[in-house]
Amino acid sequence: MLELRRVSKVYGQGAAVVHALGEVSLEVDAGTMVAVMGPSGSGKSTLLTIAGSLEEPTSGQVLVAGQDLATMSRNDKAQLRRQSIGYVFQDFNLLPGLTAAENVALPLELDGVGARKAREAGLRALTDLGLADRASNYPDQLSGGERQRVAIARAVVGDRHLLLADEPSGALDSVNSDAVMRMIHAACRQGVAAVVVTHDAQLASWADRVVFIRDGRIVDQTAPAPGPESLLGQDR
Amino acid sequence: MSVRHALLALLSEGPKYGLRLREEFEAGTGEVWPLNIGQVYTTLQRLERDGLVESDDDDERDSPQKRFRITADGSRELADWLRTPPDMSSPPRDELVIKVLVALLVPGTDVHEVIQAHRRYVVELMQQWTRIKEADAGRDLALGLAVDAELFRLDAVVRWLDAADGRIKRAAAEPPAPARDDLPKLRRKTGATP
């Protein structure tokens, strides 16, 4: 679903040059969650914005659903972002003047779906996340955990194939973080490919595969996880 | 894990047979701590000797037919134990910490690579615990709490590795001032003197 081929990103030039990413290759199949784990400044957020076509790589290729982003027009890319890619950022990015349901329905409406249909789809996504009774509340009337769930509903509404999340549990407590990761995981079980960048090992441990990034390079990754029996079988 | 106090806790709900105590112990710890029936009976015998539980007088057999109940002393012991913090003042001898400290001394060793090997292993363990939590979906409270404890413990290990990574990187860039001489005891206590 998402493929990065030897992607590099360089900011600035001369003495002020910063190599944010160095020849990063990464493949994320439909139905799987990959966590990119690294300290701040390791290039993980840059990786995410490039994967989401919000920023262009200096070199290398980015393919979403088999399509090379470099060969797409601005309009096509904008459409891809609206239709296929869901974003969840640390600060949620909800529009303060819209209700929860309107925020969730917005990407569909922007894409030409009728207002009523978009609203219905938005309500369904909110209901799935246990927020049906908060649908007509504005962001400032919601708790941090509720705002984050609205942001996730907005990211998965419609027919998204790729979910990109940057520290998706932000400053949430561990119970709310769990709920957020459970939702992203549920979306993956329905075929969505997800990339979660984080410095938090507990968040990363929800992923099918954890990729470790240091100084703009992928240095290591976890082995495919054995089943839980390997832990529960141990006699302590 | 104090099997002794867990059994007292289960008996504080009412008299029970040994076999049932084992089942309830395992269920109560989210089946993360398996217990064999031999352990249950040995522990019950000691509790009886110490006057913290009593069994049916008319039955001398050590068998699943023997029923136990908690005494007043047992209840007091249990209440005291629940409120007494375990001793956490002395850092345990942590093999992982020692390995990283030793790696610093071995010429030609990339400490960051050593750290990453440990980080990967711990994150893989955390993935397995998270799978258990995910599969249970919050149904079993005891299991959820036990898995969280394990995840937070392992998370602390990863955080330490991250901090060590950063500290070693910084130290390589700017060599630190010589260590203070008045801290040898603390260095020994924390294992920082290999």
Side-chain angles (χ1 to χ4, degrees):
Chain A
M1 181 52 59
L2 170 70
E3 197 182 343
L4 271 60
R5 292 184 188 157
R6 301 171 63 127
V7 166
S8 296
K9 180 71 184 178
V10 180
Y11 295 107
Q13 42 184 283
V17 74
V18 177
H19 294 270
L21 285 182
E23 305 221 326
V24 166
S25 294
L26 179 70
E27 232 178 295
V28 186
D29 295 331
T32 61
M33 187 200 299
V34 170
V36 178
M37 204 183 154
S40 54
S42 58
K44 56 190 196 299
S45 294
T46 304
L47 185 153
L48 203 71
T49 49
I50 288 176
S53 94
L54 298 169
E55 204 175 357
E56 308 234 319
T58 308
S59 64
Q61 275 179 303
V62 182
L63 290 90
V64 177
Q67 265 192 301
D68 187 343
L69 294 185
T71 65
M72 295 171 73
S73 69
R74 271 177 77 109
N75 275 344
D76 287 349
K77 271 198 274 193
Q79 194 181 29
L80 178 82
R81 284 197 292 267
R82 282 198 309 271
Q83 292 182 341
S84 300
I85 306 178
Y87 304 88
V88 184
F89 294 109
Q90 266 181 78
D91 47 5
F92 317 152
N93 277 327
L94 297 179
L95 296 175
L98 300 181
T99 65
E102 287 163 352
N103 261 289
V104 176
L106 186 66
L108 295 178
E109 286 193 58
L110 285 175
D111 206 43
V113 175
R116 228 180 87 189
K117 258 189 144 169
R119 223 186 121 75
E120 278 169 14
L123 262 176
R124 255 199 316 279
L126 285 175
T127 307
D128 285 348
L129 300 184
L131 285 171
D133 56 335
R134 316 295 271 157
S136 42
N137 285 68
Y138 290 91
D140 64 358
Q141 299 168 317
L142 301 170
S143 71
E146 287 167 343
R147 278 205 289 273
Q148 184 62 316
R149 276 187 282 168
V150 173
I152 301 229
R154 186 185 53 185
V156 298
V157 76
D159 191 19
R160 308 299 176 85
H161 308 302
L162 180 59
L163 191 59
L164 302 173
D166 192 350
E167 302 284 4
S169 68
L172 300 182
D173 61 40
S174 66
V175 173
N176 275 311
S177 298
D178 266 12
V180 163
M181 294 315 287
R182 246 177 238 289
M183 284 164 212
I184 296 180
H185 213 272
C188 289
R189 292 292 87 98
Q190 286 168 19
V192 171
V195 181
V196 176
V197 308
T198 183
H199 69 281
D200 180 335
Q202 294 212 43
L203 279 198
S205 71
W206 283 86
D208 300 296
R209 184 155 51 100
V210 181
V211 164
F212 298 90
I213 187 167
R214 284 281 174 289
D215 302 323
R217 288 176 187 276
I218 289 179
V219 292
D220 200 7
Q221 60 176 315
T222 57
E229 321 76 61
S230 60
L231 283 176
L232 291 182
Q234 284 172 23
D235 222 317
R236 313 185 146 215
Chain B
M1 181 67 203
S2 173
V3 174
R4 201 177 149 84
H5 293 98
L7 293 179
L8 285 178
L10 292 171
L11 286 172
S12 67
E13 297 173 332
K16 280 165 195 173
Y17 295 100
L19 202 61
R20 166 124 179 257
L21 283 169
R22 184 186 73 165
E23 283 165 13
E24 290 188 357
F25 176 89
E26 293 195 349
T29 56
E31 296 183 30
V32 176
W33 289 285
L35 194 64
N36 71 50
I37 193 72
Q39 267 173 295
V40 175
Y41 282 114
T42 327
T43 310
L44 285 169
Q45 273 165 13
R46 287 194 200 128
L47 287 169
E48 193 169 18
R49 180 198 63 200
D50 298 344
L52 303 177
V53 306
E54 347 176 280
S55 59
D56 299 336
D57 289 329
D58 53 344
D59 198 339
E60 287 301 308
R61 290 169 300 161
D62 278 340
S63 74
Q65 273 76 42
K66 202 161 167 179
R67 212 162 68 129
F68 293 87
R69 76 186 78 79
I70 194 168
T71 63
D73 278 351
S75 298
R76 257 194 306 279
E77 164 69 23
L78 176 63
D80 283 349
W81 175 79
L82 285 175
R83 288 161 183 79
T84 308
D87 180 15
M88 296 196 277
S89 62
S90 323
R93 274 264 159 199
D94 190 322
E95 208 183 327
L96 180 67
V97 175
I98 290 167
K99 281 179 195 245
V100 172
L101 293 176
V102 170
L104 285 170
L105 303 175
V106 183
T109 302
D110 179 350
V111 187
H112 300 290
E113 188 214 318
V114 171
I115 287 176
Q116 175 55 29
H118 295 299
R119 184 190 283 114
R120 183 184 59 234
Y121 169 74
V122 176
V123 170
E124 283 171 353
L125 269 183
M126 291 177 75
Q127 283 179 289
Q128 293 179 49
W129 285 111
T130 301
R131 292 284 160 278
I132 294 172
K133 186 158 83 170
E134 183 204 343
D136 176 64
R139 282 184 291 266
D140 184 337
L141 178 61
L143 177 69
L145 292 174
V147 169
D148 271 349
E150 204 54 28
L151 281 169
F152 280 112
R153 189 180 69 79
L154 294 169
D155 186 44
V157 175
V158 176
R159 282 178 197 226
W160 178 75
L161 289 168
D162 290 346
D165 225 357
R167 202 182 273 270
I168 291 166
K169 206 169 158 183
R170 239 189 345 271
E174 39 181 286
R180 279 168 58 184
D181 290 338
D182 53 346
L183 295 175
K185 217 171 155 187
L186 189 61
R187 273 202 293 278
R188 256 201 312 282
K189 195 174 177 188
T190 54
T193 308

